[in-house]
Amino acid sequence: MGYLDQLIQDCLQAQQTKAERIFEFSNFDDLAQHAFYIYVIQQVGGDIQQTYQDYAAFKVLKTHACAKLNQPNHILYVGSSRTGIKNRLKQHLGFGPKQTYALHLSQWFQGEYRITLHQYPSTTSASILQLLEDDLSHSLAPAFGKLGTNNR
């Protein structure tokens, strides 16, 4: 089967794949150990232009690996994790390695945010999860982060 045939097949399967549960993150105990997630980090209130400028200024410092700048939006970031949602969220919150591409919120952001998690079965393939993440990212147009996997 060729690349395009596989991509079409994956897209058809992605259209039928639904989250097992969608919830707001409140603490790490909420998170299933062996599940796959797509997460959305959203600014609650505040000035999205100022948030964008603050992150751009933080990125210029080059003290941490930072996500790509897109355009101001109350949706800050859309991402996924198949290998450890707890560690990935800690990185975005600012409690991970400086060299990992993430938001590092505790280093520059003073506002309020909400993290919404879409939990998928551990049987969901990497390609399907990536298509679902890309679709959500495309529709929400987050302020930061790139579209697509790092493994292409």
Side-chain angles (χ1 to χ4, degrees), residues 42-99:
Q42 175 181 347
Q43 180 174 341
V44 178
D47 181 346
I48 62 172
Q49 296 289 339
Q50 186 62 52
T51 298
Y52 188 84
Q53 291 171 6
D54 290 348
Y55 190 67
F58 175 69
K59 184 176 174 125
V60 167
L61 297 175
K62 297 188 178 195
T63 60
H64 294 69
C66 292
K68 175 181 177 263
L69 298 170
N70 297 321
Q71 69 282 334
N73 192 338
H74 70 284
I75 301 297
L76 299 178
Y77 194 90
V78 174
S80 64
S81 177
R82 293 176 31 102
T83 59
I85 188 67
K86 292 178 185 182
N87 284 336
R88 189 63 181 132
L89 290 180
K90 287 178 183 177
Q91 292 163 356
H92 283 298
L93 297 177
F95 306 107
K98 292 179 180 183
Q99 63 272 24

Side-chain angles (χ1 to χ4, degrees), residues 3 8 53 56 87 94 97-98 103 108 119-120 128-129 143-145 150:
Y3 172 78
I8 290 167
Q53 291 171 6
N87 284 336
K98 292 179 180 183
L103 292 181
W108 64 275
Q119 180 181 332
Y120 292 88
I128 299 302
L129 193 68
F144 314 114
N150 290 324

